[in-house]
Amino acid sequence: MPSGEFALIDRFFRDIGARRDVPVGVGDDGAVLAPPAGHDLVAVVDTIVESVHFPAGSPARSIGHRALAVNLSDVAAMGATAAWALLALTLPEADERWLAEFTAGFGMLAHAHDVQLVGGDLTSGPLAVTVQVLGTVPRSAALLRSGGRPGDLVYVTGTPGDAACGLALLQGRLRTPATADAAALAALRERFLFPAPRCAIGERLRGVASACIDLSDGLAGDLSKLALASGCGARVDVTQLPLSAPLLEVAGRAAAEHFALTGGDDYELCFTVPPARVPELEGLACTAIGRLAEGRGLAVCRGDSVIEFSHSGFDHFAR
Ligand code: ADP
Ligand code: MG
């Protein structure tokens, strides 16, 4: 973006967040950051591409929000506290109204989590947004996928499935009952457009959870990854899934279970806790849905009986 690139950076990206631990932010060749003593740095990066991760023509405010939210969710899953973000934005054109909305979405979420935008890049091309977030965690205290043990309880935050149903609604892929309540439909769409990363819960889980993963590709697939990394199997009871009232109303019970198990874009946390530590979850918005087990693989059950279930998570290069 030759003409106006620097003016655009100045106008839209210079003033997102303000932290004391940023000696040099936007404007030099690189940012200089001052992590606190006694901490590890946690680094995550995610790209969202138009027509792959969000429908073409999505509201710019949602795109800005989601580009940051998906990264904050990864940081939360590590039990870390997000501090700094970098933004590499590829745009077909420098539409100032679009940019104002995009930065409003990005900036409001950054502000809510005390994250400062410290650098980035601006290029022209098909719409794609890459965000890197850096966070900190007390030394050696990061939550990993690999710490789970057979017998640990499996928990999930929030109400998985809502976002996938919301996306299906946005794409016109879901037949909705004529009686469906407009507020329920709007709530589901909102869960896709403006996911709420579980940052406070991630921090609270440090020293409590044995393993943690964030849900981006569907609960069944992502829990399978956690179990594999922990060297065990897992068992989930569909009757324990925390399905939201809007999801049940709009999709019905069977489709709601399917959205919750296989739908992507939740950005909830799925974590495991040894039975003895369960009392420490007091006050956290999470639900026990199963257990880690000896062996390998995920068993999906209805009460005591295992049900037939195929759960390939989203894979960009699957064939
Ligand atoms: P360079 O050419 O050295 O990579 P640029 O001219 O691309 O630097 O960027 C100038 C400054 O603006 C740098 O500090 C860079 O980090 C920052 N910057 C560029 N694009 C963005 C953006 N989209 N958001 C935040 N900062 C940005
Ligand atoms: Mg550059």
Side-chain angles (χ1 to χ4, degrees):
M1 255 175 225
S3 80
E5 180 182 331
F6 303 109
L8 290 172
I9 293 169
D10 243 24
R11 175 153 164 221
F12 292 106
F13 301 111
R14 191 176 285 283
D15 294 316
I16 298 186
R19 293 177 59 95
R20 292 161 176 278
D21 53 11
V22 182
V24 179
V26 170
D28 214 309
D29 289 312
V32 180
L33 311 171
H39 284 65
D40 290 330
L41 265 184
V42 171
V44 307
V45 64
D46 255 314
T47 296
I48 60 174
V49 176
E50 184 173 56
S51 301
V52 178
H53 300 94
F54 56 88
S58 285
R61 190 175 287 249
S62 161
I63 298 168
H65 176 104
R66 292 185 79 249
L68 181 58
V70 301
N71 283 281
L72 295 181
S73 179
D74 280 327
V75 172
M78 300 299 292
T81 307
W84 311 292
L86 294 117
L87 164 66
L89 186 55
T90 304
L91 293 175
E93 54 178 343
D95 175 339
E96 301 203 355
R97 276 175 44 198
W98 191 96
L99 276 166
E101 281 296 298
F102 176 90
T103 48
F106 188 103
M108 278 164 63
L109 189 64
H111 182 79
H113 294 284
D114 192 23
V115 167
Q116 181 171 340
L117 182 62
V118 298
D121 198 17
L122 195 54
T123 52
S124 62
L127 180 58
V129 191
T130 296
V131 172
Q132 177 179 34
V133 170
L134 299 166
T136 62
V137 65
R139 183 139 306 144
S140 305
L143 292 176
L144 308 182
R145 295 179 179 184
S146 53
R149 295 293 168 261
D152 289 357
L153 284 105
V154 175
Y155 283 82
V156 69
T157 62
T159 53
D162 294 353
C165 183
L167 177 60
L169 291 169
L170 287 163
Q171 295 179 321
R173 285 190 280 113
L174 195 71
R175 286 180 165 280
T176 53
T179 53
D181 173 27
L185 296 170
L188 294 169
R189 287 192 208 99
E190 197 75 2
R191 296 280 286 123
F192 174 82
L193 294 171
F194 297 97
R198 303 303 181 189
C199 301
I201 297 182
E203 290 178 47
R204 276 275 313 270
L205 291 177
R206 278 204 305 265
V208 178
S210 50
C212 188
I213 189 169
D214 87 311
L215 299 183
S216 51
D217 300 333
L219 173 58
D222 288 331
L223 173 57
S224 297
K225 290 179 196 165
L226 181 153
L228 186 67
S230 291
C232 42
R235 206 178 162 90
V236 187
D237 181 353
V238 291
T239 68
Q240 304 298 311
L241 290 173
L243 304 173
S244 75
L247 180 62
L248 285 167
E249 178 185 338
V250 168
R253 174 96 210 170
E257 285 177 0
H258 191 76
F259 277 126
L261 285 170
T262 65
D265 301 306
D266 286 314
Y267 302 105
E268 297 293 348
L269 298 180
C270 178
F271 58 93
T272 59
V273 179
R277 309 210 72 140
V278 165
E280 293 170 62
L281 299 176
E282 180 69 39
L284 292 189
C286 60
T287 308
I289 56 168
R291 277 187 189 262
L292 294 183
E294 301 284 353
R296 287 287 182 275
L298 176 70
V300 177
C301 309
R302 185 173 305 283
D304 286 335
S305 44
V306 177
I307 58 179
E308 198 67 36
F309 180 74
S310 126
H311 61 84
S312 42
F314 186 76
D315 178 346
H316 283 271
F317 299 106
R319 47 210 198 128

